[in-house]
Amino acid sequence: MARPSRKDDILKAALACFIEVGVDATTVEMIRDRSGASIGSLYHHFGNKERIIAALYLAGTAEYAALLEKGFAEAHSAEACIKLLVTSYIDWVVSNPDWARFILHSRGRVEASELGEQLREANRLHFERIQQALVGYREQQLFKVMPADCFASVVIGPTHDFARNWLAGRTRTQLSACRELLAQVAWDSVKA
């Protein structure tokens, strides 16, 4: 297995700092100290704290998208694809709770940053890939008729809401314990 890159070390250190003292209170120096990177290396890879924030956000969403992509290669039914949208999300959040908390609270900041367009493009490609995976099933009329922009909220909305509450410590039930239930709820909500 390959050793993490200096860039990965910096992102990992940044996440730890953001979780420990908050995004606003974290300084570039704190990230440098925690990562062991030189200031030149940090600025070479990122340039400033806002770019570190955006890179960390984009890396997390890309990791989830890659997990989903791998799953689509193995999902061969409408039901499997819909359930995959939920289970992949849950699996990623459970495996990366600090990263997930960071992402949930940083979207607006990244959208407003100089890398906001990169985020919008990554999201566009992600949703396009989901649509491609589902298009054949739509053509077979295996889903309820609903506005396309409503479909994603119906599928992932309950899971996203429960995940946010779980990440905030507002649930007694573990998110992973609801994995199959939430996947079934998503499927029942959209199947024709």
Side-chain angles (χ1 to χ4, degrees):
M1 185 152 80
R3 182 193 176 291
S5 70
R6 174 56 73 195
K7 193 173 182 178
D8 293 335
D9 291 342
I10 294 168
L11 290 177
K12 184 178 177 182
L15 179 59
C17 290
F18 295 156
I19 296 303
E20 192 174 296
V21 299
V23 174
D24 290 330
T26 297
T27 65
V28 170
E29 291 74 26
M30 294 166 100
I31 297 168
R32 179 187 51 81
D33 288 346
R34 191 167 204 136
S35 69
S38 69
I39 198 71
S41 177
L42 197 141
Y43 280 104
H44 167 74
H45 288 297
F46 300 104
N48 59 40
K49 185 172 101 171
E50 290 305 313
R51 286 185 182 170
I52 294 171
I53 292 167
L56 186 60
Y57 186 100
L58 290 166
T61 57
E63 190 173 290
Y64 164 68
L67 184 64
L68 194 56
E69 187 69 27
K70 181 180 176 190
F72 278 140
E74 300 168 5
H76 301 294
S77 70
E79 180 178 0
C81 286
I82 296 302
K83 288 182 174 183
L84 175 70
L85 291 167
V86 171
T87 58
S88 292
Y89 180 77
I90 290 172
D91 293 347
W92 190 85
V93 169
V94 168
S95 295
N96 303 281
D98 288 339
W99 208 351
R101 278 183 203 92
F102 167 79
I103 287 172
L104 285 171
H105 298 290
S106 300
R107 182 182 180 127
R109 187 173 188 149
V110 175
E111 284 179 332
S113 78
E114 65 185 278
L115 296 178
E117 188 54 41
Q118 189 176 344
L119 171 60
R120 285 184 284 281
E121 180 62 10
N123 285 340
R124 187 191 68 74
L125 292 172
H126 175 68
F127 289 115
E128 184 177 285
R129 176 60 188 113
I130 292 170
Q131 295 306 318
Q132 288 171 354
L134 300 178
V135 70
Y137 305 121
R138 271 197 170 68
E139 290 169 356
Q140 295 173 49
Q141 299 178 347
L142 298 177
F143 301 126
K144 290 178 183 170
V145 176
M146 67 179 73
D149 54 357
C150 184
F151 189 86
S153 293
V154 170
V155 170
I156 204 70
T159 301
H160 181 69
D161 185 61
F162 191 82
R164 286 180 50 179
N165 285 317
W166 178 75
L167 288 166
R170 292 189 295 259
T171 67
R172 290 187 181 154
T173 306
Q174 291 298 310
L175 178 58
S176 58
C178 297
R179 185 179 187 270
E180 301 308 317
L181 171 65
L182 289 166
Q184 188 63 48
V185 166
W187 173 239
D188 291 343
S189 296
V190 297
K191 70 180 177 182

